[in-house]
Amino acid sequence: MRGADETSGSLFSYVDLEGRIPARHPLRKIRQVVNEALASLDAEFEALYSDFGRPSIPPERLIRASLIQILFSIRSERQLMEQMEYNLLFRWFVGLGIDDPVWVP
């Protein structure tokens, strides 16, 4: 019997990004190394930012996004933001949740 070609506009999504990324995907190891390096730079990042004002995009996420742009040869930040809108692998690597808004390029 042929199934119906219908989309479900579900109200809630229970997608775990961690579970969507294959355990042996090469970006898992790269992300681990990058996170360790960024953890060692935490004090330097803290010194660069003010204690008051509007919160910025975390520099760790910006660095991970730039790394994705380099690794996948994405030509511009605008294209990177477009791809991060729908690419779960990129969202996971950068640290964005599935419902988190993507930054304005």
Side-chain angles (χ1 to χ4, degrees):
M1 181 169 121
R2 181 173 179 233
D5 183 22
E6 297 176 4
T7 58
S8 65
S10 61
L11 182 60
F12 299 103
S13 174
Y14 299 102
V15 176
D16 178 27
L17 287 180
E18 190 69 33
R20 293 284 179 137
I21 310 304
R24 297 183 57 108
H25 196 283
L27 277 183
R28 282 197 178 271
K29 183 63 176 173
I30 293 171
R31 187 171 194 252
Q32 179 185 358
V33 171
V34 169
N35 284 345
E36 290 170 4
L38 290 173
S40 69
L41 294 172
D42 192 45
E44 284 84 3
F45 290 147
E46 192 67 35
L48 292 173
Y49 288 84
S50 174
D51 292 335
F52 62 91
R54 187 176 61 141
S56 71
I57 299 169
E60 296 86 353
R61 289 185 179 182
L62 292 173
I63 291 171
R64 284 190 218 107
S66 296
L67 189 55
I68 283 290
Q69 184 175 4
I70 293 166
L71 290 172
F72 287 88
S73 303
I74 300 171
R75 292 179 289 173
S76 69
E77 287 180 2
R78 187 168 299 280
Q79 284 184 336
L80 175 63
M81 296 305 114
E82 178 184 320
Q83 289 194 24
M84 280 183 42
E85 191 69 50
Y86 58 80
N87 192 323
L88 296 181
L89 178 66
F90 290 2
R91 283 180 166 270
W92 168 81
F93 188 84
V94 170
L96 290 175
I98 196 161
D99 293 328
D100 292 340
V102 176
W103 317 304
V104 177

